[in-house]
Amino acid sequence: MPSVLSANTIPIRLFDHCESEKIFENVTKQGTMVVTKNHLPECVLISPMEYMRIVEELNDLSLLTIATDRMAHFDPSSSISEKERYCRLNLNEADLADFDEIEIE
């Protein structure tokens, strides 16, 4: 993972000089920029697309962690067949015929 300091940086004083429009254009093009104050990182500006990419990656990581944990504790002897599940829930194929298919990514 790249260091915050190795990213594109911009001094905070440029915001005071009405250059924010240029700064935001650069963020949109480059994805991120680090705003510095007294030569130290103060905050990170990210584009909405980059933000969504990061959020999706975190969600995927969270789901992977849950799945990995479940598989580590999975006991095949405790699983039941689809037929047994229908029986326990008092369902049959006709009960499910009116439902749309679910797409799993």
Side-chain angles (χ1 to χ4, degrees):
M1 173 181 274
S3 166
V4 170
L5 296 175
S6 69
N8 296 319
T9 61
I10 185 120
I12 198 166
R13 66 179 158 70
L14 291 182
F15 280 97
D16 296 336
H17 294 101
C18 301
E19 299 212 21
S20 58
E21 188 174 333
K22 281 186 198 175
I23 294 168
F24 294 140
E25 285 176 13
N26 285 338
V27 169
T28 300
K29 289 177 189 171
Q30 299 172 13
T32 61
M33 290 195 84
V34 176
V35 179
T36 59
K37 183 176 180 181
N38 299 322
H39 304 288
L40 296 172
E42 185 70 19
C43 70
V44 178
L45 301 174
I46 61 174
S47 68
M49 292 297 290
E50 181 66 6
Y51 175 78
M52 291 306 299
R53 186 195 67 74
I54 292 168
V55 168
E56 287 180 20
E57 191 171 319
L58 285 172
N59 286 337
D60 289 348
L61 181 59
S62 176
L63 292 172
L64 176 62
T65 302
I66 291 168
T68 301
D69 184 56
R70 287 180 180 173
M71 290 306 294
H73 298 96
F74 175 65
D75 177 11
S77 66
S78 67
S79 63
I80 61 172
S81 69
E82 183 178 19
K83 185 177 180 179
E84 176 64 24
R85 192 170 349 132
Y86 284 179
C87 184
R88 288 184 186 185
L89 296 171
N90 198 26
L91 293 172
N92 60 44
E93 294 281 339
D95 294 327
L96 303 175
D98 292 335
F99 287 96
D100 293 331
E101 287 290 321
I102 297 174
E103 183 177 326
I104 298 176
E105 294 180 17

